[in-house]
Amino acid sequence: MYGNDFAVPEEPLNAAETPEYSAALQDQADGVLDRDGEGTPHFDELIAADKRIEPRDEMPQEYRDTLIRQIAQHAHSEIIGMQPEGNWITRAPSLRRKAILMAKVQDEAGHGLYLYSAAETLGMSRDEMLDRLHTGRQKYSSIFNYPTLTWADAGAIGWLVDGAAIMNQVPLCRCSYGPYGRAMVRVCKEESFHQRQGFEILWALMQGTEAQREMAQDAVNRTWWPALMMFGPPDTGENASGGHTEQSMAWGIKRFSNDDLRQKFIDMTVPQAQKLGLTLPDPDLRWNAERGHWDFGPVDWDEFWQVVKGNGPVNAQRIAHRVRAHEEGAWVREAATAHAAKQARDEKKEVAA
Ligand SMILES: [Fe+2]
Ligand SMILES: [Fe+2]
């Protein structure tokens, strides 16, 4: 059913289709970043040797805190990110589109679960993380504070938002913290499907009527700049705004600056927009042969900070919905806990018998 009824560009469509991801996948299979189990080297030695830190290892408190903040924020983004597209499942234009979108949204729930589990290995419980999300003490990606107004938004989100997320996440496959890096390898594989389904939604719309093409263009106009903001504020050059980049790079958590990742994303995406027949809403976008990169116009960081502070179009709605879902799911958590306790009792009995 999911045939190649659209033109697949020959270049990689997202960062998970680049040699960088294949190399990380191979390293994981070969256990390159793993330890041979000999002794417990000091944290600094492990970082210097590009080896992984595991939950049992000693680590500086700041390293632990940085990872909890980053992984929890990532987990929250996965589950809050279910809302904008979940909003379209019942209204997707065909049964096939509904099935694909439902699978995609379900994948995001799975990503949230891997990531909460990874963060729990650092010593913060899932309850505590969710409590911090619900009370605004931990953030999620600001991109999800924009509404999805038309069906084309499902396409723009898959193509641009999942595409930007993968660009951020492929380098994290080599993160120095083992559980996070291993989760990222699997997450990126799935995100790659998400990005392709977004591209395909837009491709289909662009082959359609004038009204469908306009709808696709409008969704891209609204999504492009917030997608570029997903890489975070400038952290190199004269516009650098502090932040955690330098320390995170020294610890092997982060491998590229926000600016480098943003540029890579733009360079990969512009030819795809051309293939789709869509115009990216930036009059300053032009190829710079000298740099070998696309130049682009200024990002509105005031808008970014407004949304981060809670003043985006749907911040309050997203959190209210999340809290309601959590409260309505209380009986499921209670039932699962009771079931686990019963199973543990039964196993004990079996052992005793
Ligand atoms: Fe995801
Ligand atoms: Fe995704």
Side-chain angles (χ1 to χ4, degrees):
M1 282 301 286
Y2 198 54
N4 278 338
D5 56 349
F6 66 101
V8 182
E10 279 157 24
E11 311 81 46
L13 261 185
N14 59 64
E17 297 174 5
T18 58
E20 203 186 323
Y21 176 74
S22 311
L25 194 65
Q26 193 57 49
D27 279 358
Q28 167 132 319
D30 297 345
V32 167
L33 300 164
D34 296 344
R35 309 238 298 272
D36 52 15
E38 305 261 324
T40 316
H42 189 266
F43 177 82
D44 293 334
E45 290 169 29
L46 290 170
I47 295 290
D50 232 351
K51 291 287 179 190
R52 277 193 159 142
I53 310 298
E54 296 297 341
R56 63 178 179 273
D57 294 328
E58 282 186 37
M59 58 189 95
Q61 191 60 39
E62 303 82 52
Y63 177 83
R64 189 183 292 276
D65 292 344
T66 298
L67 278 164
I68 290 176
R69 188 180 59 238
Q70 180 170 340
I71 303 174
Q73 173 165 333
H74 192 164
H76 299 328
S77 302
E78 299 285 354
I79 61 163
I80 295 281
M82 295 166 74
Q83 290 187 35
E85 287 165 291
N87 178 32
W88 278 94
I89 290 174
T90 56
R91 293 177 292 160
S94 67
L95 185 57
R96 172 174 170 268
R97 295 287 182 199
K98 284 181 174 56
I100 294 170
L101 189 60
M102 192 148 39
K104 194 239 183 204
V105 171
Q106 187 174 288
D107 280 354
E108 307 299 7
H111 298 170
L113 294 185
Y114 306 152
L115 288 163
Y116 284 124
S117 300
E120 280 186 308
T121 64
L122 291 157
M124 184 177 283
S125 72
R126 192 176 307 191
D127 276 351
E128 174 67 19
M129 285 183 267
L130 285 173
D131 192 54
R132 290 185 182 207
L133 169 66
H134 297 161
T135 52
R137 287 174 295 150
Q138 281 178 345
K139 304 273 181 216
Y140 54 90
S141 178
S142 57
I143 189 79
F144 301 118
N145 290 314
Y146 292 85
T148 39
L149 304 179
T150 69
W151 165 247
D153 285 295
I157 289 179
W159 179 44
L160 297 173
V161 175
D162 289 89
I166 305 170
M167 191 57 83
N168 259 325
Q169 288 166 14
V170 163
L172 288 172
C173 294
R174 292 172 187 276
C175 170
S176 59
Y177 189 59
Y180 194 29
R182 287 188 287 272
M184 281 303 103
V185 170
R186 178 157 180 183
V187 166
C188 283
K189 195 73 148 185
E190 294 177 353
E191 298 294 6
S192 181
F193 283 108
H194 300 172
Q195 193 261 358
R196 280 190 166 255
Q197 66 91 39
F199 183 92
E200 199 255 348
I201 288 172
L202 292 175
W203 178 267
L205 289 172
M206 292 306 286
Q207 312 312 306
T209 63
E210 188 56 34
Q212 285 172 312
R213 281 194 290 277
E214 275 171 22
M215 189 167 77
Q217 182 63 57
D218 171 61
V220 169
N221 290 348
R222 286 180 287 105
T223 312
W224 175 248
W225 290 105
L228 296 190
M229 294 175 199
M230 286 173 69
F231 296 95
D235 54 357
T236 52
E238 52 196 50
N239 298 323
S241 68
H244 310 286
T245 297
E246 212 177 309
Q247 181 63 76
S248 284
M249 283 175 117
W251 276 332
I253 298 173
K254 215 176 147 97
R255 302 278 170 176
F256 297 96
S257 70
N258 297 347
D259 301 298
D260 280 348
L261 291 167
R262 188 167 15 250
Q263 182 71 61
K264 274 166 174 266
F265 174 71
I266 293 171
D267 290 348
M268 184 176 269
T269 308
V270 172
Q272 294 175 24
Q274 291 169 339
K275 203 137 246 167
L276 285 164
L278 287 159
T279 306
L280 295 172
D282 179 357
D284 296 329
L285 201 60
R286 59 182 60 86
W287 178 249
N288 183 329
E290 214 170 284
R291 291 201 309 127
H293 293 291
W294 286 86
D295 286 339
F296 56 98
V299 178
D300 183 354
W301 293 110
D302 289 340
E303 175 183 324
F304 171 79
W305 289 115
Q306 278 303 317
V307 179
V308 168
K309 282 183 198 145
N311 304 321
V314 293
N315 292 57
Q317 185 187 320
R318 295 286 186 246
I319 287 295
H321 188 78
R322 169 92 270 286
V323 170
R324 194 166 62 242
H326 188 70
E327 284 165 0
E328 288 174 358
W331 69 272
V332 180
R333 290 190 296 280
E334 281 161 24
T337 309
H339 180 68
K342 181 175 178 296
Q343 264 191 327
R345 268 199 316 274
D346 291 352
E347 268 167 33
K348 232 187 201 168
K349 263 188 227 156
E350 239 169 66
V351 172

